[in-house]
Amino acid sequence: MENDIIIQMKNIRKSFAGVPVLKGIDLTVKKSEVLAVIGPSGSGKSTLLRCLNNLETIDDGSIQVKGDYLVQSRQGRAVYADKDTQKKILGYMGMVFQQFNLFPHMTVLDNLLEAPVHVKNMKKAEVLPVAEELLRKISLFDKKDAYPSRLSGGQQQRVAIARALCMAPDIMLFDEPTSALDPELTIGVLNTMRQLAQEHMTMIVVTHEMGFAHDVANNVIFMADGGIVEQGDSQQFFGNPKEERTKLFLHSMLK
Amino acid sequence: MHNIANTFMLMLEGTQTTLQIFSITLILSIPLGLLISLARLSPLRLISRLVEIYIWIMRGTPLMLQLLFVYFALPMVGIKLSDLTAALFAFTLNYAAYFAEIFRAGIQSINRGQYEAAKTLGMSYPQTMQRIILPQVIRRVLPPISNETINLVKDTSLIYILAMNDLLRVARTIVQREFDMTPFVIAAVFYLVMTFVLTWLFKLLEAHYGKYEV
């Protein structure tokens, strides 16, 4: 694995209506790393991910992706880059949501084609083979003309992953991708993510799937109350957690 | 026999005026209503407040009063409009206000996740609205739009106060002249036919825009 840093977040602070939800988070992700972010609900893990791709703005701190600053700290305040730079940086990242958020009025294939054609201004004929290949990879090629409402939750989430991949991102962000799914439907989604990891995609995965975090992630971060309690490589993290809080959480998850 | 045919022809002419007001108002007020709803949702407070006041006035006063105002008050400040233009002006402003509120409700009913998905895919606000949000809004607002549209068919009869010969005024004139109620029955049938056609059209539209639903 190459050792270059692709994401650097420093001292991220964020409050909602005066209530701090991120209390100075530092985070570094290397290229091809799979990082699992775990923690109880309300710990700020989803907010952290949403700050990284600008769905939320931070109050202080800096975020650097592929060497470009999305936001920098100046005199205790977060100062964002200009719109063009922001757009460029956000283009490095694909996002998968808990609720899939497929476009319901478009077929599966059109969901994949939409952004490459209308954001990157690529020709449809150019994107089509890429999109079809992605659909084959997630074993949903036969559903390409179906509307999302005809698919199961697990299938929708796989399409959402393919839709993000169709923009050829360097980094994939997953915000609790299996939390809205019935247990038997999570397997397909997790397998798709596992496959991505094997292809050396850089991934940050906010998840409750301890099995996935253990087996697939290189590193794990455990968050609680807006801070990082413990982090480490996944073998060490799960095999020999140091903090009492981590032990309690892992114990409760395994019950 | 000659008399009935004559009545019928006169009423068809009245229907033409009715349909003219109806269709032009609809064509103008739907896009205008959409624009107004976007202004109403603007993050700029001044714009959104102004639009709110406009909607309040349009929905808070009788359409008849608005018609009279455009027809009688505007000429006093030097704005002279023809009968037809005056009627269209008042109808369009009034209906745009109602359509704006329908569109606003429709836009706000779309899940925030749709905006977020579009944003993370790099889409701009106009692209998001045009390609992602509005196509879904159309499906949701069709039933209330259909309601308002049917109302408009009947509201067109208000133009009788501007002395324009719409379907109802023609019918009334004949009834008063001949002491025969048939024209009222014919007028009712004409209105029913028009609303029937509209109901059917909207059903087709709903099926078309709803084809992605289970």
Side-chain angles (χ1 to χ4, degrees):
Chain A
M1 193 188 293
E2 296 161 79
N3 257 4
D4 40 350
I5 288 167
I6 194 164
I7 295 173
Q8 184 129 45
M9 297 174 92
K10 277 188 189 155
N11 191 32
I12 305 298
R13 290 177 188 279
K14 165 85 183 164
S15 300
F16 284 119
V19 182
V21 286
L22 297 176
K23 301 169 181 169
I25 304 267
D26 294 312
L27 180 83
T28 304
V29 180
K30 289 176 184 156
K31 195 166 184 306
S32 301
E33 176 180 339
V34 178
L35 173 70
V37 183
I38 63 171
S41 56
S43 58
K45 53 194 194 307
S46 284
T47 307
L48 182 68
L49 202 66
R50 292 167 58 83
C51 287
L52 177 56
N53 71 354
N54 221 11
L55 290 175
E56 308 283 355
T57 54
I58 60 173
D59 304 328
D60 190 16
S62 68
I63 299 174
Q64 208 179 358
V65 184
K66 280 182 80 177
D68 295 317
Y69 276 103
L70 173 67
V71 51
Q72 271 179 289
S73 175
R74 289 216 189 94
Q75 287 142 16
R77 272 186 54 239
V79 181
Y80 275 84
D82 60 84
K83 285 278 171 229
D84 286 343
T85 312
Q86 284 189 28
K87 206 176 164 188
K88 177 179 151 204
I89 293 171
L90 296 177
Y92 299 149
M93 297 177 279
M95 174 87 168
V96 175
F97 299 87
Q98 184 178 347
Q99 298 296 342
F100 332 134
N101 294 339
L102 290 178
F103 304 134
H105 59 301
M106 294 180 186
T107 63
V108 164
L109 186 62
D110 285 338
N111 263 277
L112 266 65
L113 299 176
E114 177 65 19
V117 171
H118 291 99
V119 176
K120 284 189 173 169
N121 294 318
M122 290 169 74
K123 287 203 185 67
K124 198 173 166 181
E126 223 179 321
V127 200
L128 198 61
V130 181
E132 290 184 341
E133 183 54 35
L134 281 166
L135 288 176
R136 276 193 198 94
K137 243 166 92 175
I138 59 168
S139 319
L140 288 175
F141 183 74
D142 57 328
K143 301 278 187 194
K144 70 183 169 70
D145 297 318
Y147 287 97
S149 61
R150 297 278 176 193
L151 306 185
S152 75
Q155 291 173 329
Q156 288 191 49
Q157 192 61 298
R158 277 145 63 201
V159 173
I161 294 171
R163 177 178 69 175
L165 289 173
C166 210
M167 286 295 272
D170 299 280
I171 303 152
M172 284 288 283
L173 311 178
F174 295 84
D175 187 5
E176 305 199 19
T178 56
S179 297
L181 299 174
D182 293 334
E184 74 270 22
L185 296 178
T186 61
I187 298 159
V189 173
L190 292 175
N191 282 341
T192 301
M193 291 167 65
R194 208 178 293 259
Q195 198 180 343
L196 260 184
Q198 280 159 7
E199 291 165 11
H200 306 298
M201 174 61 79
T202 309
M203 296 160 69
I204 302 182
V205 187
V206 171
T207 186
H208 292 294
E209 295 285 340
M210 292 305 130
F212 179 84
H214 181 273
D215 301 343
V216 183
N218 312 113
N219 290 302
V220 182
I221 281 182
F222 172 57
M223 283 181 72
D225 299 326
I228 294 177
V229 176
E230 183 166 353
Q231 55 186 313
D233 76 76
S234 62
Q235 301 312 316
Q236 175 256 311
F237 181 92
F238 285 105
N240 186 21
K242 291 186 175 56
E243 301 290 329
E244 199 53 37
R245 219 165 157 181
T246 316
K247 289 177 193 164
L248 279 172
F249 178 76
L250 290 177
H251 188 69
S252 74
M253 289 305 286
L254 289 172
K255 251 195 281 192
Chain B
M1 197 60 218
H2 169 77
N3 216 356
I4 294 225
N6 198 29
T7 302
F8 198 79
M9 288 316 291
L10 281 171
M11 292 185 68
L12 269 184
E13 266 172 53
T15 306
Q16 230 173 5
T17 309
T18 295
L19 283 175
Q20 190 180 25
I21 298 273
F22 167 79
S23 50
I24 298 176
T25 300
L26 203 61
I27 288 164
L28 294 177
S29 60
I30 285 186
L32 184 62
L34 180 58
L35 285 177
I36 293 170
S37 74
L38 293 175
R40 172 83 172 74
L41 293 169
S42 163
L44 300 172
R45 266 196 83 80
L46 179 70
I47 292 181
S48 129
R49 285 299 295 191
L50 284 175
V51 170
E52 225 175 307
I53 292 169
Y54 161 80
I55 291 172
W56 174 54
I57 293 172
M58 285 300 150
R59 296 198 306 174
T61 56
L63 175 54
M64 171 103 73
L65 176 62
Q66 292 162 22
L67 276 167
L68 291 170
F69 186 86
V70 169
Y71 193 69
F72 290 110
L74 287 188
M76 289 180 194
V77 292
I79 304 172
K80 184 84 187 87
L81 302 173
S82 73
D83 294 358
L84 181 66
T85 319
L88 287 173
F89 189 71
F91 269 105
T92 301
L93 288 185
N94 179 280
Y95 269 80
Y98 283 94
F99 285 135
E101 284 298 274
I102 290 173
F103 280 121
R104 179 174 70 91
I107 290 170
Q108 287 181 326
S109 76
I110 303 295
N111 191 299
R112 203 171 54 128
Q114 293 289 305
Y115 293 91
E116 292 186 345
K119 190 177 168 187
T120 58
L121 288 168
M123 299 179 83
S124 65
Y125 176 77
Q127 275 179 328
T128 305
M129 288 313 275
Q130 188 198 329
R131 302 202 45 87
I132 308 300
I133 306 301
L134 292 180
Q136 297 180 59
V137 168
I138 289 174
R139 167 68 188 90
R140 295 196 190 180
V141 299
L142 275 173
I145 294 265
S146 154
N147 240 346
E148 282 307 315
T149 306
I150 285 170
N151 264 338
L152 177 59
V153 173
K154 296 172 293 173
D155 271 354
T156 53
S157 61
L158 288 173
I159 58 170
Y160 81 91
I161 49 159
L162 305 188
M164 289 171 71
N165 283 318
D166 74 308
L167 173 57
L168 189 59
R169 189 168 191 261
V170 170
R172 194 176 66 162
T173 311
I174 302 171
V175 167
Q176 284 170 338
R177 194 177 58 210
E178 316 267 338
F179 295 106
D180 173 10
M181 291 298 139
T182 320
F184 280 159
V185 177
I186 297 174
V189 171
F190 277 21
Y191 282 115
L192 284 171
V193 168
M194 287 188 269
T195 50
F196 176 81
V197 170
L198 280 174
T199 309
W200 173 74
L201 266 177
F202 273 96
K203 212 184 260 179
L204 288 185
L205 284 172
E206 277 182 42
H208 174 74
Y209 282 102
K211 63 172 186 266
Y212 59 83
E213 286 171 343
V214 179

